[in-house]
Amino acid sequence: MDHISIRVSDYERSKAFYGRLFEFLGFEISDEYPQTIGWTNGKTRYWIAPAEGRKAYRIGDVGLHHYAFQLRSRRDVDALQAYLEGQGVRIVDPAGEYYEDYYAVFFLDPDGIKLEGMKYGELTAQRKRKRAKRSS
């Protein structure tokens, strides 16, 4: 995915929230204009701009359900949760195993947009490496 662009109810509040979050996640500002800013990690970009119409978001309405950031490890998911707790961010589903070998934490941005930090396949990769070592 190249980029996603979301609209926010309070641009300055969201800019501060995402600025701190993306700094923690290792993103950098890709471009900034008077009422639009985008961050990148070199693979994808995440843009915000002020909403022009309805100023409320509700999970379950038509549109975006959530956006997931793939992290490097389960340890990074735990670190993200600790960061979020320290920032007072609302965590809706704490770090845990949600599917087989799918470890994630789910949280809300200032408008209630659901975000996720996740790592998939880490345990499977570890098992494969152990099997390969044993058969060498």
Side-chain angles (χ1 to χ4, degrees):
M1 179 182 298
D2 182 75
H3 68 275
I4 186 169
S5 181
I6 65 164
R7 299 298 179 131
V8 297
S9 64
D10 182 328
Y11 180 72
E12 292 303 324
R13 178 181 67 171
S14 291
K15 181 179 173 183
F17 169 84
Y18 281 107
R20 290 186 305 269
L21 174 65
F22 287 138
E23 181 179 348
F24 178 82
L25 292 175
F27 282 59
E28 298 176 348
I29 294 173
S30 60
D31 292 289
E32 184 171 7
Y33 306 101
Q35 292 291 299
T36 304
I37 187 169
W39 293 267
T40 185
N41 65 357
K43 296 179 183 178
T44 190
R45 288 182 288 279
Y46 195 100
W47 290 88
I48 66 168
E52 296 170 4
R54 185 172 46 96
K55 303 281 188 195
Y57 173 80
R58 193 178 69 141
I59 293 173
D61 283 352
V62 170
L64 177 73
H65 180 270
H66 74 277
Y67 188 84
F69 299 97
Q70 183 177 3
L71 304 179
R72 291 180 309 254
S73 68
R74 289 168 171 248
R75 187 175 303 170
D76 287 347
V77 173
D78 291 334
L80 174 59
Q81 178 165 313
Y83 163 81
L84 296 168
E85 290 169 343
Q87 294 290 312
V89 174
R90 182 165 171 222
I91 295 171
V92 291
D93 295 303
E97 191 89 11
Y98 286 91
Y99 306 99
E100 183 179 340
D101 204 6
Y102 190 99
Y103 194 74
V105 59
F106 297 86
F107 57 101
L108 302 180
D109 86 344
D111 286 308
I113 296 173
K114 191 174 185 182
L115 302 169
E116 172 187 2
M118 50 74 66
K119 177 60 182 168
Y120 173 74
E122 185 173 347
L123 299 179
T124 301
Q126 288 172 357
R127 285 192 295 270
K128 285 181 182 178
R129 284 192 300 271
K130 285 180 185 176
R131 281 195 302 267
K133 259 187 179 178
R134 283 191 299 243
S135 53
S136 307

